Coordinates of all heavy atoms in Angstrom, one line a residue:
F335 N 114.7 99.9 89.7 CA 114.8 100.8 90.8 C 113.6 101.7 91.0 O 113.3 102.1 92.1 CB 116.1 101.6 90.7 CG 117.3 100.7 90.9 CD1 118.3 100.6 89.9 CD2 117.5 100.0 92.0 CE1 119.4 99.8 90.0 CE2 118.7 99.2 92.2 CZ 119.6 99.1 91.2
G336 N 113.1 102.1 89.8 CA 111.9 103.0 89.9 C 110.7 102.4 90.6 O 110.0 103.0 91.4
V337 N 110.5 101.1 90.2 CA 109.4 100.4 90.8 C 109.6 100.2 92.3 O 108.7 100.4 93.1 CB 109.2 99.0 90.2 CG1 108.2 98.2 90.9 CG2 108.8 99.2 88.7
L338 N 110.8 99.9 92.7 CA 111.1 99.8 94.2 C 110.9 101.2 94.9 O 110.3 101.3 95.9 CB 112.5 99.3 94.4 CG 112.8 97.9 94.2 CD1 114.3 97.5 94.4 CD2 111.9 97.0 95.2
G339 N 111.4 102.2 94.2 CA 111.2 103.6 94.8 C 109.7 103.9 95.0 O 109.4 104.5 96.0
I340 N 108.9 103.6 94.0 CA 107.5 103.9 94.1 C 106.9 103.1 95.2 O 106.1 103.6 96.0 CB 106.8 103.6 92.8 CG1 107.2 104.7 91.7 CG2 105.3 103.6 92.9 CD1 106.8 104.4 90.3
F341 N 107.3 101.8 95.3 CA 106.8 100.9 96.4 C 107.2 101.5 97.8 O 106.3 101.5 98.7 CB 107.3 99.5 96.2 CG 107.0 98.6 97.4 CD1 105.6 98.3 97.7 CD2 108.0 98.1 98.2 CE1 105.3 97.5 98.8 CE2 107.7 97.3 99.3 CZ 106.4 97.0 99.6
F342 N 108.4 101.9 97.9 CA 108.9 102.5 99.2 C 108.1 103.7 99.6 O 107.7 103.9 100.7 CB 110.4 102.7 99.2 CG 111.2 101.5 99.0 CD1 112.4 101.5 98.4 CD2 110.8 100.2 99.5 CE1 113.2 100.4 98.2 CE2 111.5 99.1 99.3 CZ 112.7 99.2 98.7
A343 N 107.9 104.6 98.6 CA 107.1 105.8 98.9 C 105.7 105.5 99.3 O 105.1 106.1 100.2 CB 107.2 106.7 97.6
W344 N 105.1 104.5 98.6 CA 103.7 104.1 98.9 C 103.7 103.5 100.3 O 102.8 103.8 101.1 CB 103.2 103.2 97.8 CG 101.8 102.8 97.9 CD1 100.8 103.5 98.5 CD2 101.2 101.5 97.5 NE1 99.6 102.8 98.3 CE2 99.9 101.6 97.7 CE3 101.7 100.4 96.8 CZ2 99.0 100.6 97.4 CZ3 100.9 99.4 96.5 CH2 99.5 99.5 96.8
A345 N 104.7 102.7 100.6 CA 104.7 102.0 101.9 C 104.9 103.0 103.1 O 104.5 102.7 104.2 CB 105.8 100.9 101.9
A346 N 105.5 104.1 102.8 CA 105.7 105.1 103.9 C 104.3 105.6 104.4 O 104.3 106.0 105.6 CB 106.5 106.3 103.3
F347 N 103.3 105.5 103.6 CA 102.0 105.9 104.0 C 101.0 104.8 104.3 O 99.8 105.0 104.7 CB 101.4 106.9 103.0 CG 102.3 108.1 102.8 CD1 103.1 108.2 101.7 CD2 102.3 109.1 103.7 CE1 103.9 109.3 101.5 CE2 103.1 110.2 103.6 CZ 103.9 110.3 102.5
R348 N 101.4 103.6 104.1 CA 100.6 102.4 104.3 C 101.2 101.5 105.3 O 102.2 100.7 105.0 CB 100.4 101.6 103.0 CG 99.8 102.4 101.9 CD 98.4 102.5 102.0 NE 97.9 103.2 100.8 CZ 96.8 103.9 100.8 NH1 96.0 104.0 101.8 NH2 96.4 104.5 99.6
R349 N 100.7 101.5 106.6 CA 101.4 100.8 107.6 C 101.5 99.3 107.3 O 102.5 98.7 107.7 CB 100.6 101.0 108.9 CG 101.2 100.3 110.1 CD 100.6 100.7 111.4 NE 100.7 102.1 111.7 CZ 101.8 102.6 112.3 NH1 102.8 101.8 112.6 NH2 101.9 103.8 112.6
R350 N 100.5 98.7 106.7 CA 100.6 97.3 106.4 C 101.7 96.9 105.5 O 102.0 95.7 105.4 CB 99.2 96.8 105.9 CG 98.8 97.4 104.6 CD 97.3 96.9 104.3 NE 96.8 97.6 103.1 CZ 97.0 97.2 101.9 NH1 97.7 96.1 101.6 NH2 96.6 97.9 100.9
L351 N 102.2 97.8 104.7 CA 103.3 97.5 103.7 C 104.7 97.9 104.3 O 105.7 97.5 103.7 CB 103.1 98.3 102.4 CG 101.8 98.0 101.7 CD1 101.7 98.9 100.5 CD2 101.8 96.5 101.2
Q352 N 104.7 98.5 105.4 CA 106.0 99.0 105.9 C 107.0 97.9 106.3 O 108.2 98.0 106.0 CB 105.8 99.9 107.1 CG 105.2 101.2 106.7 CD 104.8 102.1 107.8 OE1 104.9 101.7 109.0 NE2 104.4 103.3 107.5
A353 N 106.5 96.8 106.9 CA 107.4 95.7 107.2 C 108.0 95.1 105.9 O 109.2 94.8 105.8 CB 106.7 94.6 108.0
M354 N 107.2 94.9 104.9 CA 107.6 94.3 103.7 C 108.6 95.2 103.0 O 109.6 94.8 102.5 CB 106.4 94.1 102.7 CG 106.8 93.4 101.4 SD 105.5 93.3 100.2 CE 104.2 92.7 101.1
A355 N 108.4 96.5 103.1 CA 109.3 97.5 102.5 C 110.7 97.5 103.2 O 111.7 97.5 102.5 CB 108.7 98.9 102.5
L356 N 110.7 97.3 104.5 CA 111.9 97.2 105.2 C 112.7 96.0 104.8 O 113.9 96.0 104.6 CB 111.7 97.3 106.7 CG 111.3 98.6 107.3 CD1 110.7 98.4 108.7 CD2 112.4 99.5 107.3
V357 N 112.0 94.9 104.7 CA 112.7 93.6 104.3 C 113.2 93.7 102.8 O 114.3 93.3 102.6 CB 111.7 92.4 104.4 CG1 112.3 91.2 103.8 CG2 111.4 92.2 105.9
V358 N 112.4 94.2 101.9 CA 112.8 94.4 100.5 C 114.0 95.3 100.4 O 115.0 95.0 99.7 CB 111.7 94.8 99.6 CG1 112.1 95.2 98.2 CG2 110.6 93.7 99.6
A359 N 113.9 96.4 101.1 CA 115.1 97.4 101.1 C 116.3 96.8 101.7 O 117.4 97.0 101.1 CB 114.7 98.7 101.8
G360 N 116.2 96.2 102.8 CA 117.3 95.5 103.4 C 118.0 94.5 102.6 O 119.2 94.4 102.4
T361 N 117.1 93.7 101.9 CA 117.6 92.6 101.0 C 118.4 93.2 99.8 O 119.5 92.8 99.5 CB 116.5 91.8 100.5 OG1 115.8 91.2 101.6 CG2 117.0 90.7 99.6
S362 N 117.8 94.3 99.3 CA 118.5 95.0 98.1 C 119.8 95.6 98.5 O 120.8 95.4 97.9 CB 117.5 96.1 97.6 OG 118.2 96.8 96.6
V363 N 119.9 96.3 99.7 CA 121.1 96.9 100.1 C 122.1 95.8 100.5 O 123.3 95.9 100.1 CB 120.8 97.8 101.3 CG1 122.1 98.2 102.0 CG2 120.0 99.0 100.9
L364 N 121.7 94.8 101.2 CA 122.7 93.8 101.6 C 123.2 93.0 100.4 O 124.4 92.7 100.4 CB 122.0 92.8 102.6 CG 122.0 93.3 104.0 CD1 121.1 92.3 104.9 CD2 123.3 93.4 104.6
A365 N 122.3 92.7 99.4 CA 122.8 92.0 98.3 C 123.9 92.8 97.5 O 124.9 92.2 97.1 CB 121.6 91.7 97.3
F366 N 123.7 94.1 97.4 CA 124.7 94.9 96.7 C 126.0 94.9 97.5 O 127.1 94.8 96.9 CB 124.2 96.3 96.4 CG 125.2 97.1 95.7 CD1 125.4 97.0 94.4 CD2 126.0 98.0 96.4 CE1 126.4 97.7 93.7 CE2 127.0 98.7 95.8 CZ 127.2 98.6 94.4
L367 N 125.9 95.1 98.8 CA 127.1 95.2 99.6 C 127.9 93.9 99.6 O 129.1 93.9 99.5 CB 126.7 95.6 101.0 CG 126.3 97.0 101.2 CD1 125.8 97.3 102.7 CD2 127.4 98.0 100.9
V368 N 127.1 92.8 99.6 CA 127.8 91.5 99.6 C 128.5 91.3 98.2 O 129.7 90.9 98.1 CB 126.8 90.3 99.8 CG1 127.4 89.0 99.5 CG2 126.4 90.3 101.3
L369 N 127.8 91.6 97.1 CA 128.4 91.5 95.8 C 129.7 92.4 95.7 O 130.7 92.0 95.2 CB 127.4 91.9 94.7 CG 126.3 90.9 94.4 CD1 125.3 91.5 93.5 CD2 127.0 89.7 93.8
A370 N 129.6 93.6 96.2 CA 130.7 94.6 96.1 C 131.9 94.1 96.9 O 133.0 94.1 96.5 CB 130.3 96.0 96.6
W371 N 131.6 93.6 98.2 CA 132.7 93.2 99.0 C 133.3 91.9 98.6 O 134.5 91.7 98.7 CB 132.2 93.0 100.5 CG 132.0 94.4 101.2 CD1 132.6 95.5 100.9 CD2 131.0 94.6 102.2 NE1 132.2 96.5 101.7 CE2 131.2 96.0 102.5 CE3 130.1 93.9 102.8 CZ2 130.4 96.6 103.5 CZ3 129.3 94.5 103.8 CH2 129.5 95.9 104.1
T372 N 132.5 91.0 98.0 CA 133.1 89.7 97.6 C 133.8 89.9 96.2 O 134.8 89.1 95.9 CB 132.0 88.6 97.4 OG1 131.0 89.0 96.5 CG2 131.4 88.2 98.8
T373 N 133.4 90.8 95.4 CA 134.1 91.1 94.2 C 135.4 91.9 94.4 O 136.4 91.5 93.9 CB 133.2 91.9 93.2 OG1 132.0 91.2 93.0 CG2 133.9 92.2 91.9
G374 N 135.3 92.9 95.2 CA 136.5 93.7 95.6 C 137.0 94.4 94.3 O 136.5 94.3 93.2
D375 N 138.0 95.2 94.5 CA 138.7 95.9 93.4 C 137.8 96.7 92.5 O 137.8 96.5 91.3 CB 139.6 94.9 92.6 CG 140.6 95.7 91.8 OD1 141.1 96.7 92.2 OD2 140.9 95.2 90.7
Y376 N 136.9 97.4 93.1 CA 135.9 98.2 92.3 C 136.4 99.6 92.2 O 137.3 100.0 93.0 CB 134.5 98.1 92.9 CG 134.4 98.3 94.4 CD1 134.5 99.5 95.0 CD2 134.3 97.2 95.2 CE1 134.5 99.7 96.4 CE2 134.2 97.3 96.6 CZ 134.3 98.6 97.2 OH 134.2 98.7 98.5
N377 N 135.9 100.4 91.3 CA 136.4 101.7 91.1 C 135.7 102.7 92.1 O 134.9 102.3 92.9 CB 136.1 102.2 89.6 CG 134.6 102.2 89.2 OD1 133.8 102.4 90.1 ND2 134.3 102.0 88.0
S378 N 136.1 104.0 92.0 CA 135.7 105.0 92.9 C 134.2 105.2 92.8 O 133.5 105.6 93.8 CB 136.4 106.3 92.8 OG 136.2 106.8 91.5
F379 N 133.6 105.0 91.6 CA 132.1 105.3 91.5 C 131.3 104.2 92.2 O 130.4 104.5 92.9 CB 131.7 105.3 90.0 CG 132.4 106.4 89.2 CD1 133.4 106.1 88.3 CD2 132.1 107.7 89.5 CE1 134.0 107.2 87.6 CE2 132.7 108.8 88.8 CZ 133.6 108.5 87.8
V380 N 131.8 103.0 92.1 CA 131.1 101.9 92.9 C 131.4 102.1 94.4 O 130.5 101.8 95.2 CB 131.6 100.5 92.4 CG1 131.0 99.4 93.2 CG2 131.2 100.3 90.9
G381 N 132.6 102.6 94.7 CA 132.9 102.8 96.1 C 131.9 103.8 96.7 O 131.6 103.7 97.9
R382 N 131.5 104.8 95.9 CA 130.6 105.8 96.5 C 129.2 105.1 96.7 O 128.6 105.4 97.7 CB 130.4 106.9 95.5 CG 131.5 107.8 95.3 CD 131.2 108.9 94.3 NE 132.4 109.7 94.0 CZ 132.5 110.6 93.1 NH1 131.4 110.9 92.4 NH2 133.6 111.2 92.9
V383 N 128.8 104.2 95.9 CA 127.6 103.5 96.1 C 127.7 102.6 97.3 O 126.7 102.4 98.1 CB 127.1 102.7 94.8 CG1 125.9 101.9 95.0 CG2 127.0 103.6 93.6
V384 N 128.8 102.0 97.5 CA 129.0 101.1 98.7 C 128.9 102.0 99.9 O 128.2 101.5 100.9 CB 130.4 100.4 98.6 CG1 130.8 99.8 100.0 CG2 130.5 99.4 97.5
V385 N 129.5 103.1 100.0 CA 129.3 104.0 101.1 C 127.9 104.4 101.3 O 127.3 104.4 102.5 CB 130.2 105.3 101.0 CG1 129.9 106.3 102.1 CG2 131.7 104.9 101.0
A386 N 127.2 104.8 100.3 CA 125.8 105.2 100.3 C 124.9 104.0 100.8 O 124.0 104.2 101.7 CB 125.3 105.7 99.0
D387 N 125.2 102.8 100.4 CA 124.4 101.7 100.8 C 124.7 101.3 102.2 O 123.9 100.8 103.0 CB 124.7 100.5 99.9 CG 123.7 100.5 98.7 OD1 123.0 101.5 98.5 OD2 123.6 99.4 98.0
A388 N 126.0 101.5 102.7 CA 126.3 101.2 104.1 C 125.5 102.2 105.0 O 125.0 101.8 106.0 CB 127.8 101.4 104.3
V389 N 125.4 103.5 104.6 CA 124.7 104.5 105.3 C 123.2 104.1 105.3 O 122.5 104.1 106.3 CB 124.9 105.9 104.8 CG1 123.9 106.9 105.4 CG2 126.3 106.3 105.0
A390 N 122.7 103.6 104.1 CA 121.3 103.2 104.0 C 121.0 102.0 104.9 O 119.9 101.9 105.5 CB 121.0 102.9 102.5
L391 N 122.0 101.1 105.0 CA 121.8 99.9 105.9 C 121.6 100.4 107.3 O 120.8 99.8 108.1 CB 122.9 99.0 105.7 CG 122.8 97.7 106.5 CD1 121.6 96.9 106.1 CD2 124.1 96.8 106.3
V392 N 122.4 101.3 107.8 CA 122.3 101.8 109.1 C 120.9 102.5 109.3 O 120.3 102.2 110.3 CB 123.4 102.8 109.5 CG1 123.2 103.5 110.8 CG2 124.8 102.1 109.5
A393 N 120.5 103.3 108.3 CA 119.2 103.9 108.4 C 118.1 102.9 108.4 O 117.1 103.0 109.2 CB 119.0 104.9 107.3
L394 N 118.2 101.8 107.7 CA 117.2 100.7 107.7 C 117.1 100.0 109.0 O 116.0 99.7 109.5 CB 117.5 99.7 106.6 CG 117.1 100.1 105.2 CD1 117.7 99.2 104.1 CD2 115.6 100.1 105.0
V395 N 118.3 99.8 109.6 CA 118.3 99.1 111.0 C 117.6 100.0 112.0 O 116.7 99.6 112.8 CB 119.7 98.8 111.4 CG1 119.8 98.4 112.9 CG2 120.3 97.7 110.5
V396 N 117.9 101.3 111.9 CA 117.2 102.3 112.8 C 115.7 102.3 112.6 O 114.9 102.3 113.5 CB 117.9 103.7 112.7 CG1 117.0 104.7 113.5 CG2 119.3 103.7 113.2
G397 N 115.4 102.3 111.3 CA 114.0 102.4 110.9 C 113.2 101.1 111.4 O 112.1 101.1 111.8
A398 N 113.9 100.0 111.2 CA 113.3 98.7 111.6 C 113.1 98.6 113.1 O 112.1 98.2 113.6 CB 114.1 97.5 111.1
L399 N 114.1 99.1 113.9 CA 113.9 99.2 115.3 C 112.8 100.1 115.7 O 112.0 99.8 116.6 CB 115.3 99.6 116.0 CG 116.4 98.6 115.8 CD1 117.7 99.2 116.4 CD2 116.1 97.3 116.5
A400 N 112.7 101.2 115.1 CA 111.6 102.2 115.4 C 110.3 101.5 115.0 O 109.3 101.7 115.8 CB 111.8 103.5 114.6
Y401 N 110.2 100.8 113.9 CA 109.0 100.2 113.5 C 108.6 99.1 114.6 O 107.4 99.1 115.0 CB 109.2 99.5 112.1 CG 108.0 98.7 111.7 CD1 106.9 99.3 111.1 CD2 108.0 97.3 111.9 CE1 105.8 98.5 110.7 CE2 106.9 96.5 111.5 CZ 105.8 97.1 110.9 OH 104.7 96.4 110.6
L402 N 109.5 98.3 115.0 CA 109.2 97.3 116.0 C 108.8 97.9 117.3 O 107.9 97.4 118.0 CB 110.4 96.4 116.2 CG 110.7 95.5 115.0 CD1 112.0 94.7 115.2 CD2 109.6 94.5 114.7
A403 N 109.5 99.0 117.7 CA 109.1 99.7 119.0 C 107.7 100.2 118.9 O 107.0 100.1 119.9 CB 110.1 100.8 119.3
D404 N 107.4 100.8 117.8 CA 106.0 101.4 117.6 C 105.0 100.3 117.6 O 103.9 100.4 118.1 CB 106.0 102.2 116.3 CG 104.6 102.8 116.1 OD1 104.1 103.6 117.0 OD2 104.0 102.6 115.1
R405 N 105.3 99.2 116.9 CA 104.4 98.1 116.9 C 104.1 97.5 118.3 O 103.1 97.0 118.6 CB 104.9 97.0 115.9 CG 104.0 96.0 115.6 CD 104.5 95.1 114.5 NE 103.6 94.0 114.3 CZ 103.8 92.9 113.7 NH1 105.0 92.7 113.2 NH2 102.9 92.0 113.6
G406 N 105.2 97.5 119.1 CA 105.1 97.0 120.4 C 104.2 97.8 121.3 O 103.6 97.4 122.3
N407 N 104.1 99.1 121.0 CA 103.3 100.0 121.8 C 101.8 100.0 121.4 O 101.0 100.7 122.0 CB 103.8 101.5 121.7 CG 105.2 101.6 122.3 OD1 105.4 100.9 123.3 ND2 106.0 102.5 121.8
R408 N 101.4 99.3 120.4 CA 100.0 99.2 120.0 C 99.3 98.2 120.6 O 99.5 97.2 121.0 CB 100.0 99.1 118.5 CG 100.5 100.3 117.8 CD 100.4 100.2 116.3 NE 100.8 101.6 115.9 CZ 99.9 102.4 115.3 NH1 98.7 102.0 115.0 NH2 100.2 103.6 114.9

């Protein structure tokens, strides 16, 4: 997770890495959510992570749309 965090922070300032960061982050969040939902019957601690990842997924979708809108204006 540390390596991903460093990559995401770096990509925030490097336009050429931003699309890749959005894809990697989305894949990570979706993979966890799919695993949690298919497994089911998880405890409250994992439930908190599910909620956080669902919020992160919404933020990623908004970020991806903003990225695409900005890219279209160039």
Side-chain angles (χ1 to χ4, degrees):
F335 292 119
V337 172
L338 283 177
I340 290 168
F341 172 66
F342 296 148
W344 187 28
F347 300 101
R348 305 280 187 204
R349 182 170 297 277
R350 62 186 173 88
L351 297 176
Q352 289 174 355
M354 184 187 313
L356 286 167
V357 170
V358 170
T361 302
S362 175
V363 167
L364 280 173
F366 180 79
L367 289 174
V368 167
L369 285 173
W371 286 330
T372 58
T373 301
D375 196 32
Y376 44 79
N377 63 29
S378 64
F379 298 111
V380 175
R382 290 180 189 175
V383 178
V384 168
V385 170
D387 272 12
V389 171
L391 183 59
V392 171
L394 281 167
V395 168
V396 170
L399 292 173
Y401 175 82
L402 292 173
D404 181 57
R405 189 171 176 198
N407 291 330
R408 292 182 171 249

